[in-house]
């Protein structure tokens, strides 16, 4: 089975074309080497993919006949992603919490006061 089809079947990507694009960008590695979308996947292969700032590590247990339901995904793969990778994503979410969106205009008077207070406390 092709690696892009496998990643789509085990629900890591919403569409097969998105999985293909991830392979073309070099975000998917098979047994330590960057994989093209047409690369064949076999049981016991190790896949490493980068998605949403997290590097997922999984082992292929079996090949699904077609796209499977979310409850059946664990039959076909074993997820060995370290837990600290998910914790890093949580910290990244909190750091982006206060970030001003582009195009929202100049900082308000309250924003300037908050910035001044932050800079004064830092010194």
């Amino acid at each position: 089975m092709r690696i892009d089809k496998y990643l789509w079947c085990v629900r890591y990507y919403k569409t097969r074309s998105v999985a293909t694009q991830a392979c073309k960008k070099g975000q998917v590695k098979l047994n330590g080497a960057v994989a093209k979308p047409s690369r064949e996947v076999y049981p016991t292969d190790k896949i490493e993919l980068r998605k949403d700032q997290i590097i997922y590590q999984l082992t292929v247990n079996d090949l699904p006949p077609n796209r499977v339901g979310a409850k059946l995904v664990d039959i076909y793969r074993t997820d060995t992603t370290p837990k600290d990778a998910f914790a890093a994503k949580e910290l990244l979410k909190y750091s982006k919490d206060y970030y001003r969106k582009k195009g929202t205009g100049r900082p308000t008077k309250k924003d300037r006061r908050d910035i001044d207070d932050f800079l004064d406390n830092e010194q």
Side-chain angles (χ1 to χ4, degrees):
M1 176 181 278
R2 292 170 51 115
I3 191 165
D4 61 343
K5 186 174 181 180
Y6 177 80
L7 292 172
W8 170 73
C9 286
V10 293
R11 298 183 166 269
Y12 275 94
Y13 293 102
K14 191 170 184 177
T15 64
R16 188 165 164 194
S17 62
V18 173
T20 303
Q21 289 299 320
C23 292
K24 286 181 181 177
K25 289 179 183 176
Q27 296 174 348
V28 179
K29 293 183 181 179
L30 182 65
N31 296 327
V34 175
K36 291 183 178 179
S38 61
R39 181 81 185 265
E40 291 292 319
V41 176
Y42 301 103
T44 70
D45 280 347
K46 306 268 190 237
I47 298 175
E48 189 174 295
L49 65 109
R50 184 165 190 251
K51 181 181 169 194
D52 298 331
Q53 303 285 329
I54 297 176
I55 298 175
Y56 292 93
Q57 299 170 352
L58 44 129
T59 306
V60 178
N61 293 342
D62 197 12
L63 301 177
N66 51 11
R67 190 166 167 97
V68 295
K71 292 180 182 177
L72 303 176
V73 168
D74 290 333
I75 297 170
Y76 300 105
R77 60 102 173 128
T78 304
D79 194 356
T80 57
T81 306
K83 299 294 181 204
D84 60 342
F86 296 104
K89 186 178 179 187
E90 286 294 320
L91 291 174
L92 186 65
K93 183 174 73 172
Y94 289 125
S95 69
K96 289 182 179 179
D97 203 18
Y98 184 71
Y99 179 74
R100 291 178 56 86
K101 299 269 190 253
K102 186 173 182 177
T104 56
R106 294 173 47 186
T108 63
K109 188 180 254 187
K110 182 182 182 321
D111 290 337
R112 284 197 307 268
R113 287 178 181 158
D114 289 342
I115 292 169
D116 289 342
D117 289 342
F118 177 74
L119 293 176
D120 287 342
N121 290 337
E122 197 173 83
Q123 294 174 356

